[in-house]
Amino acid sequence: MPKNIPNYTELTHQVVRESPEPLPFAEIMQRVQAIAPITTRNPKGTIRNAITQSHLIVATGDGRYGWKPRVITGSVLRFTLSKSSLETGIIVFGDELRDALWPTFFESAKRRDRNPVHLELPNRTVIELPLEFLGTATWGAHGSPEFWAWLDTLGPAPGDHLIFRVVDGEARLYSVEFQPRAARDEAAIVERNRVMVQAALVFLRRKTWGAMIWDIAAHLLATGQYKHPIPPDPLSEIWTQEVWESELVKRSHGGGWTWAREADAEPNLDPVLAELAKAIVPYYDYDNPPDLPREYDPDFGRRIRPSRRARRGPVKSFTLRVNHRALPKVWRDIEIAEDQTLEDLHLIIQSAYDWGDDHLYSFFISGRADDRASEIGSPWSEARVHTHQVEIGNLNLKPGQKVLYFFDYGDSHEYEVQVLRIDPAAPKGNYP
């Protein structure tokens, strides 16, 4: 009879949600462990995956992780009234305002809450503000008669502002006030805009493949950038093409963004990968990979899958020398069987270097991290081919060839993987 394995993702959410203050990673692990021993082969990787795949557990920028609705409490955001808003009675939310009002917006259905929030007007009237889909990735609200009646008494004009405050993100309580354009402290707002753009650029530059504006907005909220009495202008007004054009270019595939040093369009896959991709499942859910073997699943204890061929008899093997590019004199030699995958190679490299398997990673067959055409990403990445889908023997590797193993897209650890030799009939045994 199978054992009842704890749901470590749920336990991780429980620990962070119940803590009044953000927690460092080690403390989260310790508290989960106190509830239910983490019996997976890679406990750190199990908890790290639960954190990185959540939109409610957020990095606060100081090495800790907090519960998003609580972390964003105290944020102050500016909304600029437009002629369209005043004529139609519709508020169109920017990414940061929508994220502040509905912090579970991108969360899985189990934890998502898009019900109306409570909005307190200056006269102490509390109204409900709904979230409405306005079409083509646009979200907003019609407000309520009480809201527009209050605003109309103030004689609003295009260019005036609404100032929203997150009074209690967990209780879903917010407040709003009116600020005429003429009351702006222009110098202070210009400085706030500068600080906000700089923080966004720092975040963006840490992302190898760039970041979407909603990711930037979420990061700015989680790290307290909006907890200042003078809110900056809306992100859509300050995160302009002039700001990001030198950093990013738009991809023709998928509508995403990528570093300007890459090709303008999504490249065709490397010929070897293109051939392998023909057998890969057409639909891919990055949060729940549809073809992920149980051995690679964090909830069941991630571990290397042994070579089946090597258990039966001789097998083709590949001896690889792996060294960190920043420390070329430190290396590990790994012999791996042809029917083992790049996911097995990732796991043995993690073990050989005593890493924690706690970040995303990719292999680049060309040896260049900017060559998306040759990327084979981790099971939870947005690559088009994934490590658990590719056997070593199908890569057409040659002696002397060098492949890049890229670990942790924040700190960017680059490992060179060189093929030292290929044995067409290595002895029966356990690999790697």
Side-chain angles (χ1 to χ4, degrees), residues 208 355 358-361 406-413:
T208 302
W355 283 97
D358 52 1
H359 292 283
L360 295 179
Y361 46 90
F406 193 103
F407 175 66
D408 186 349
Y409 279 79
D411 291 338
S412 304
H413 293 285

Side-chain angles (χ1 to χ4, degrees), residues 116-244:
V117 300
H118 309 296
L119 184 66
E120 183 178 2
L121 305 179
N123 59 14
R124 298 298 178 89
T125 300
V126 178
I127 63 172
E128 286 194 340
L129 187 69
L131 176 65
E132 303 172 50
F133 177 63
L134 304 178
T136 320
T138 304
W139 297 80
H142 284 78
S144 69
E146 296 91 343
F147 174 82
W148 290 110
W150 159 72
L151 190 60
D152 285 344
T153 63
L154 301 171
D160 290 341
H161 303 288
L162 297 176
I163 307 299
F164 288 86
R165 299 179 188 274
V166 185
V167 178
D168 188 335
E170 291 184 281
R172 313 185 77 249
L173 178 61
Y174 301 79
S175 69
V176 64
E177 60 189 73
F178 175 73
Q179 184 182 80
R181 184 85 183 181
R184 283 169 57 99
D185 184 340
E186 202 63 47
I189 293 174
V190 167
E191 174 61 16
R192 292 289 297 123
N193 291 347
R194 185 195 67 78
V195 170
M196 195 64 63
V197 167
Q198 184 59 36
L201 287 172
V202 169
F203 172 73
L204 182 66
R205 288 164 183 161
R206 293 207 311 262
K207 300 297 179 180
T208 302
W209 310 125
M212 302 302 288
I213 190 169
W214 49 83
D215 293 322
I216 296 171
H219 168 76
L220 296 175
L221 277 164
T223 54
Q225 299 296 333
Y226 285 97
K227 292 185 179 182
H228 189 283
I230 300 177
D233 282 316
L235 198 55
S236 61
E237 296 179 20
I238 61 178
W239 189 248
T240 62
Q241 182 173 347
E242 182 181 18
V243 172
W244 52 252

Side-chain angles (χ1 to χ4, degrees), residues 93-103 105-106 131 137 139 214:
F93 300 131
D95 289 279
E96 74 277 23
L97 184 55
R98 183 200 59 218
D99 203 45
L101 294 169
W102 287 274
F105 183 85
F106 287 109
L131 176 65
W139 297 80
W214 49 83

